[in-house]
Structure formats: C-alpha cells, structure tokens
C-alpha cells in the first residue's frame, strides 16, 4: 500500500514538472513570437539579406565661366561572395590575370570566408566590363566613381583632391565636402541558407543622390595664363617656387591662385620633384608629399618687405603723422639706438618728400614715420587693418600672422617693422589687406565659393560674405591709390607699367632667415585701374638666382598678366 502511494506521488511530481516545463516553453514561445518578434525578424533578415552600397556621384567643381575643373569617371569595384563561388581556382586565375594582381593576394581574398570580400577598387570600366562578361559565379562587379581633373595640374593646391573613399583631403574638395558629397544608395538582395541569391525574389533598391555642383570665382583662362607666367619666371630665375594671386579688391573674389611647381591632381601621391621615391623612407615620402601639397599663398608665412610699406604709409597718413610734402633726408642708413639700419640704395636718396620716399621705397623714410607713429598706434592700426586675424579665406590651413608681443617691441623692432621685416604674414593676408586699403577702405574676405547648383543647373545657394567693416577713411584710401600709381609711373615699379592703363603698386625684396644664407624673396603687388581698382595682382618669387630685386623680376610678371587679361575682362585702355 505504501509503495502504491509512493509511486503515485512520484508520478504526480514528474507530471507537474513536465507540465511546468511545457507551460514554460509555451510561454517562452509566445513571448518570442509576439513580444520579441521584431528582434528575431531583423536577425532573420540580416541572415538572408545581403546589402551592397551604390556609390553616389560627387558634385562637380566649375569655374566662373562654367568650365568643369573637377568631375567623376566611372570605375568598378570587384568583389567575391565566398558561398557562391563554384570554381575557386578559375576565379583566382581569371581575376589575378585580368586585374594584374599577385595570385597569392587574390587567393587569400577569394578563399577568405566572409559574406563579401573586396578584391580591388578603382578598376577602370573597360576591365570591369571584361570581368562582368566572364560571368564567374560569386564574382560581383559594382560601378563606382573616381574623381577626375580634366586639367591635371591646374590650380592643384586650390582644388585639392579626394582619397580612395572619394572624400576631400585638401583644398576646396575638403572645405566644401558637405556641398560636393552625395548620398549613397543600396541594393538589398535575398539569399538562401547557403548565401546564394534567390533569383525569384525581387531586390530592394534605393537610388543614390548625386552631390551638388560648386561654382567658384576662379577663371580657367586667367589661372592658366598666370600659371604659365609663373612657370616661365621660375625657370628663368631658377627659383624654388613662384606664387601668383589675382583677386577683385572690391569684393574679395579670387580669379587665380598659382603655386608652382603644381602637382598632378590625377596622380597626387607621386612626387613632382623628380626624386627617386624608392630611396625614400615612408616618413620621408610623406613629408615630401605634404610639402608638395602646400598652398604657399595661405599655408606659409614670409617677411613681406617693402610691399608692407603700403600698410605703414596708410596708417601714418590716417593718423596724421605725415603729410605728402613732408621733407626727409636719406644718407643711405638710419641709426636707431645702437643699430645702423641701411637703405637698399647704398649712397642714399638724399633729400626727398614723403611721396618720393614711397616711390623710391626708401627705408629711412619709413623708419622715421614708423617712429612718429609709435608702438601703441602702430600696433593699433595693425589690429584695425585686420592683420592679426585670419582672412577667412574658404581654404583649409590658413596660417596666422607671426608678430612680436607688444611689450617686446622696442625702437629697433618698430623701425624694422615699418618697412616689413622682423615679422611674418601670408601672401593672401597682404593681398587682402592691400585690397582693403585701396578699395575705399573696407575690409574684404578673400574667397572662391560663389554658389551651389543642383544637377539640373538650378541655383540652390549663393554664398554671401557681407560688407566688410571700414578700416580706413575714403580720403586716405584715395590718397594711397594716387601715391601707389606714381610708384609705377615714376618710381621703383616702372616695370609693371602697361601702356593705356593706370596701374598702382609696390615692389619688395626681403631677405629670408637666417640672413647669412643670402636667400631672398622678391615680390610685387599691383592693382588696376588705379582710380577704381577692379583687379589686384600679386607675385612672390622664392629664392631667385642672379638678380633678385622685386621691381626687376616680379613687377614685369604682373605687368604682363595685366596686359593680357584686362582686355579679356572687358577693362579697356584709357
């Protein structure tokens, strides 16, 4: 009797345990099917769906006249799906031969167990079509885009280039990334448990959206001619490099920015110096590439020399410390404290007025007016003219001004600063400041970006740079235009003169650091027409050999450019 009772209890316990397990499983099943269904549905989709990206075309960059400076070429990406390959050896042999790749590399990627393995990107379309026509199981050929620059080296440091992912690396390409980049699309296909795509199931496709077009103020014809002139003078003077900048001083639009030697935008990782790259370490090559990609107009600073006298003269006239007919005497030097600071003319200019001092680019005259200004007012105008701020140009990597701390400026420092030495600024900063001083006295923002267009050519956005603040009175600005016109017509800038045009400007020759190296930077900044400036041009020649005076070698470059582009721009002779 006891055994029967014991067995019944045992059966009851087993039955209850079984029922508990059954109800638990039913509850768990209900929970998974009802409350957690979405999670497992997504996991199932992820298991049976394969997504491939469709690259969006990057927006074009066009010049002021609509010429395409940066566009795209169709290329292919070759990939393999391991689960779909039926003839691994055939695939390895075909891809290694067609793509001209090492067989070991191809084998490693083909035999790798993954949902999709990329074999090679940026394959030209013709090769991609050959592989597609082979109809190899498990091999996918997807079309992609590669950036293409029709004019190779033209404006290379301005336009910049893109990387393998088609994202901007330097120049306008990276500055306007948000404008130029598109939105990638995708193809979603369904596969069976083995990863083989099901033909009878329709694919889900989201089309890519192309990037917008960026129109810039740069003019292809002007840029091309300026680059030719820069290359010519660099070769003639065996210089390290030449930079030329042309801009509208009224609104800051840049028409040309040249930095020779330029590099090939379609092959930006090959050095343009002719150096045997195999002799360089990876670090040395990267340093050389970084140097090649530099835009000297904005990335590098230099001592401006006598072109800075435009700023000193403007400040002195505005402050009232000098008048046009004030008399000065130049014996060829000026002693400041214990320092003898020489004029470029060893015998001196003798007696001269302030205007003649500007025409002669006489250092003692500018030392005198700089000392009249004093440290406080000199630094005050330096700030007022915007020289301590960045210009705001729409290119990355603009360098800041390198200037003495105010408390460290003594009489000697003030004297040398007055004629453009012992501090450094960028060429674009000098060009922008001079533009602002001769355009009526309003600060401008140098820029390339003009507007954004969609793929139909309709305007999406126009860039606005605002009306700059007044930094100089109109009266002083007009006086400076007259003085600088006389520099070209009667003074050291004569070689920039062009018959029939009123041109103003200033020459400069500055010695680089260390002074003992005897290396020079020759430059000229000029504008036309002198009474209503529409174009400002600047030429900087780095380390020219032989004759190195700015008035002799840099001024003629700007004069030649003016002579050829002014009729093109519709600025007629008087």
């Amino acid at each position: 009797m006891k055994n029967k009772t014991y067995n019944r209890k045992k059966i009851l316990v087993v039955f209850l345990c079984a029922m508990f397990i059954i109800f638990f499983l039913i509850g768990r099943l209900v929970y998974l099917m009802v409350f957690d269904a979405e999670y497992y549905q997504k996991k199932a989709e992820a298991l049976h769906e394969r997504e491939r990206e469709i690259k969006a075309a990057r927006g074009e960059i066009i010049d002021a006249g609509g010429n395409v400076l940066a566009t795209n070429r169709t290329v292919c990406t070759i990939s393999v799906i391991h689960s779909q390959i039926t003839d691994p050896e055939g695939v390895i042999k075909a891809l290694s031969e067609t793509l001209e790749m090492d067989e070991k590399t191809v084998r490693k990627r083909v035999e790798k167990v993954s949902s999709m393995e990329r074999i090679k990107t940026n394959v030209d379309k013709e090769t991609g079509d050959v592989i597609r026509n082979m109809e190899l199981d498990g091999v996918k050929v997807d079309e992609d885009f590669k950036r293409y620059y029709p004019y190779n080296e033209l404006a290379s440091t301005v336009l910049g280039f893109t990387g393998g992912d088609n994202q901007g690396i330097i120049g306008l390409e990276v500055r306007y990334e948000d404008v130029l980049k598109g939105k990638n699309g995708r193809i979603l296909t369904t596969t069976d448990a083995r990863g083989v795509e099901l033909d009878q199931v329709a694919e889900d496709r989201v089309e890519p959206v192309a990037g917008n077009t960026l129109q810039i103020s740069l003019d292809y014809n002007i840029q091309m001619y300026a680059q030719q002139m820069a290359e010519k003078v660099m070769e003639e003077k065996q210089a390290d490099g030449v930079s030329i900048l042309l801009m509208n001083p009224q609104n800051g639009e840049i028409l040309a920015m040249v930095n020779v030697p330029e590099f090939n935008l379609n092959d930006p990782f090959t050095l343009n110096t002719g150096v045997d790259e195999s002799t360089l370490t990876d670090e040395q090559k990267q340093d050389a590439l970084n140097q090649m990609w530099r835009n000297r107009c904005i990335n590098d600073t230099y001592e401006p020399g006598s072109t800075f006298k435009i700023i000193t003269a403007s400040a002195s006239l505005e402050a009232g410390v000098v008048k046009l007919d004030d008399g000065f005497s130049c014996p060829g030097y000026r002693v400041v404290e214990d320092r003898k600071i020489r004029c470029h003319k060893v015998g001196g200019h003798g007696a001269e007025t302030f205007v003649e001092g500007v025409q002669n680019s006489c250092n003692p005259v500018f030392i005198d007016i700089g000392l009249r200004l004093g440290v406080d007012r000199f630094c005050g105008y330096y700030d007022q003219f915007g020289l301590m701020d960045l210009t705001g140009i729409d290119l990355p990597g603009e360098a800041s001004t390198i200037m003495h701390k105010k408390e460290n400026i003594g009489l000697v420092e003030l004297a040398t600063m007055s004629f453009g030495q012992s501090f450094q600024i960028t060429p674009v900063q000098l060009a922008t400041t001079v533009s602002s001083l001769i355009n009526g006295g309003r600060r401008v923002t140098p820029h390339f970006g003009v507007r954004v267009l969609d793929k139909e050519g309709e305007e999406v956005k126009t860039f606005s740079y605002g009306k700059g603040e007044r930094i100089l009175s109109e009266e002083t600005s007009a006086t400076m235009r007259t003085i600088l016109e006389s520099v070209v017509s009667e003074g050291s800038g004569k070689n920039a003169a062009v018959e029939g045009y009123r041109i103003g400007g200033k020459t400069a020759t500055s010695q680089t650091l260390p002074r003992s190296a005897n290396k020079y930077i020759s430059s000229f900044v000029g504008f036309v027409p002198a009474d209503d400036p529409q174009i400002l041009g600047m030429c900087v020649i780095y380390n020219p050999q032989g004759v190195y005076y700015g008035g002799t070698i840099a001024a003629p470059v700007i004069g030649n450019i003016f002579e050829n582009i002014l009729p093109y721009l519709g600025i007629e002779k008087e």
Side-chain angles (χ1 to χ4, degrees):
M1 189 67 181
K2 286 183 178 179
N3 287 338
K4 282 186 176 182
T5 303
Y6 175 77
N7 288 334
R8 282 176 184 168
K9 286 182 179 179
K10 194 174 182 181
I11 292 169
L12 181 62
V13 170
V14 172
F15 175 77
L16 289 175
C17 288
M19 291 303 293
F20 175 78
I21 293 171
I22 290 170
F23 279 115
F24 174 79
L25 291 175
I26 291 171
R28 179 65 178 163
L29 191 59
V30 170
Y31 176 79
L32 293 176
M33 294 179 67
V34 177
F35 300 103
D36 215 13
E38 187 177 349
Y39 170 75
Y40 285 98
Q41 185 177 351
K42 287 181 178 178
K43 290 200 74 171
E45 287 175 354
L47 188 64
H48 290 282
E49 289 181 346
R50 179 173 289 114
E51 183 176 291
R52 299 209 313 273
E53 199 172 52
I54 311 173
K55 293 292 180 68
R58 192 171 174 85
E60 294 184 329
I61 300 177
I62 60 175
D63 81 339
N67 297 299
V68 177
L69 304 177
T71 185
N72 307 291
R73 271 186 172 172
T74 302
V75 292
C76 296
T77 297
I78 312 299
S79 307
V80 294
I81 300 173
H82 183 269
S83 60
Q84 295 182 10
I85 297 175
T86 57
D87 180 13
E89 292 302 322
V91 168
I92 293 168
K93 186 173 186 297
L95 294 184
S96 59
E97 289 179 356
T98 310
L99 298 175
E100 298 180 350
M101 291 177 66
D102 178 55
E103 188 174 313
K104 288 182 180 179
T105 304
V106 176
R107 180 177 296 278
K108 184 178 178 181
R109 294 175 184 175
V110 169
E111 293 180 349
K112 184 177 179 181
V113 179
S114 62
S115 59
M116 182 177 286
E117 187 68 21
R118 191 171 292 174
I119 303 297
K120 191 175 183 180
T121 59
N122 289 332
V123 177
D124 62 80
K125 191 174 184 304
E126 292 74 17
T127 304
D129 289 340
V130 169
I131 295 173
R132 185 184 286 112
N133 293 334
M134 290 179 180
E135 297 182 350
L136 300 167
D137 289 342
V139 177
K140 295 293 178 184
V141 181
D142 293 319
E143 290 194 352
D144 199 348
F145 295 99
K146 183 181 180 181
R147 207 60 163 155
Y148 174 65
Y149 303 90
Y151 303 109
N152 295 317
E153 296 183 349
L154 187 79
S156 60
T157 55
V158 173
L159 296 175
F161 57 91
T162 61
D165 56 0
N166 227 17
Q167 286 189 326
I169 292 182
I170 66 169
L172 295 173
E173 289 279 22
V174 68
R175 172 62 180 79
Y176 288 100
E177 176 69 22
D178 290 342
V179 170
L180 297 167
K181 72 176 181 181
K183 186 176 181 181
N184 292 338
R186 64 189 176 93
I187 300 174
L188 200 62
T189 55
T190 304
T191 67
D192 61 17
R194 296 172 300 158
V196 178
E197 293 182 3
L198 301 175
D199 294 333
Q200 64 270 26
V201 180
E203 65 181 19
D204 183 18
R205 186 182 182 94
V206 178
E207 294 298 333
V209 179
N212 287 321
T213 296
L214 173 68
Q215 184 163 35
I216 60 176
S217 56
L218 185 142
D219 186 294
Y220 161 76
N221 293 305
I222 296 176
Q223 177 78 20
M224 181 66 80
Y225 188 74
Q227 185 167 320
Q228 290 171 354
M229 290 301 300
E231 289 169 345
K232 182 171 181 284
V233 73
M234 185 175 77
E235 183 179 356
E236 288 175 350
K237 300 307 299 178
Q238 294 297 295
D240 291 345
V242 178
S243 294
I244 293 177
L245 174 63
L246 297 166
M247 65 186 288
N248 183 334
Q250 303 295 337
N251 60 17
E253 287 187 352
I254 299 174
L255 281 66
M257 182 181 280
V258 175
N259 294 280
V260 294
E262 302 273 5
F263 62 91
N264 188 347
L265 286 168
N266 293 309
D267 189 17
F269 293 94
T270 298
L271 295 174
N272 61 358
T273 56
V275 174
D276 183 1
E277 296 182 18
S278 63
T279 63
L280 303 177
T281 65
D282 290 344
E283 185 177 355
Q284 287 174 330
K285 182 177 179 181
Q286 189 58 56
D287 288 343
L289 286 172
N290 291 336
Q291 192 62 39
M292 180 179 78
W293 297 336
R294 291 184 74 81
N295 183 333
R296 273 179 153 156
C297 286
I298 67 163
N299 299 144
D300 294 346
T301 57
Y302 77 117
E303 288 187 330
S306 294
T307 50
F308 188 80
K309 290 173 180 173
I310 298 173
I311 285 89
T312 304
S314 298
S316 299
L317 287 169
E318 187 81 343
V321 300
V322 70
K323 294 182 174 59
L324 300 183
D325 56 357
D326 278 3
F328 296 86
S329 176
C330 170
Y333 62 89
R334 188 72 83 232
V335 176
V336 180
E337 291 187 335
D338 60 343
R339 197 75 58 85
K340 189 174 186 179
I341 304 173
R342 299 186 180 280
C343 185
H344 67 88
K345 187 174 182 180
V346 179
H349 295 100
E352 56 190 339
T353 64
F354 170 66
V355 173
E356 290 170 337
V358 180
Q359 292 172 354
N360 296 329
S361 196
C362 179
N363 287 350
V365 169
F366 280 86
I367 291 172
D368 288 352
I369 65 172
L371 295 176
R372 288 184 191 180
L373 267 176
V375 173
D376 287 340
R377 280 193 291 190
F378 187 94
C379 292
Y381 278 109
Y382 204 96
D383 282 336
Q384 180 177 316
F385 293 166
L387 288 159
M388 291 305 293
D389 301 320
L390 297 177
T391 65
I393 188 172
D394 51 349
L395 283 174
E398 181 182 2
S400 301
T401 295
I402 301 173
M403 180 64 166
H404 300 283
K405 288 185 178 180
K406 186 177 177 180
E407 58 268 25
N408 295 334
I409 299 176
L411 293 180
V412 173
E413 288 77 20
L414 181 59
T416 55
M417 286 164 60
S418 68
F419 57 84
Q421 290 193 2
S422 79
F423 67 93
Q424 296 188 3
I425 60 176
T426 59
V428 73
Q429 178 66 269
L430 183 74
T432 302
T433 304
V434 173
S435 292
S436 306
L437 296 176
I438 55 94
N439 70 3
R442 287 195 177 275
R443 182 77 181 181
V444 295
T445 301
H447 61 272
F448 288 95
V450 175
R451 59 179 182 156
V452 178
L453 310 172
D454 62 21
K455 61 182 179 181
E456 280 79 33
E458 296 297 321
E459 188 173 290
V460 174
K461 177 183 179 181
T462 299
F463 295 106
S464 176
Y465 299 90
K467 193 173 184 180
E469 62 181 20
R470 178 165 294 285
I471 62 171
L472 192 71
S473 67
E474 291 189 10
E475 293 76 17
T476 303
S477 180
T479 301
M480 285 305 304
R481 292 197 297 270
T482 301
I483 293 173
L484 294 172
E485 182 180 5
S486 73
V487 171
V488 174
S489 61
E490 305 172 42
S492 58
K494 286 180 180 179
N495 287 325
V498 178
E499 185 180 352
Y501 290 103
R502 295 174 60 185
I503 296 174
K506 186 73 190 73
T507 61
T509 308
S510 57
Q511 196 171 12
T512 62
L513 295 173
R515 309 293 187 203
S516 58
N518 289 321
K519 292 185 177 182
Y520 295 87
I521 295 177
S522 307
S523 61
F524 177 80
V525 60
F527 55 90
V528 63
D531 58 335
D532 182 24
Q534 298 300 311
I535 299 294
L536 179 135
M538 183 176 180
C539 175
V540 184
I541 305 173
Y542 298 91
N543 191 28
Q545 304 304 303
V547 176
Y548 53 78
Y549 296 113
T552 306
I553 64 174
V557 175
I558 295 299
N560 189 300
I561 291 173
F562 280 169
E563 185 175 15
N564 284 274
I565 71 169
L566 293 178
Y568 168 75
L569 291 170
I571 301 175
E572 298 180 358
K573 292 183 179 182
E574 294 186 10

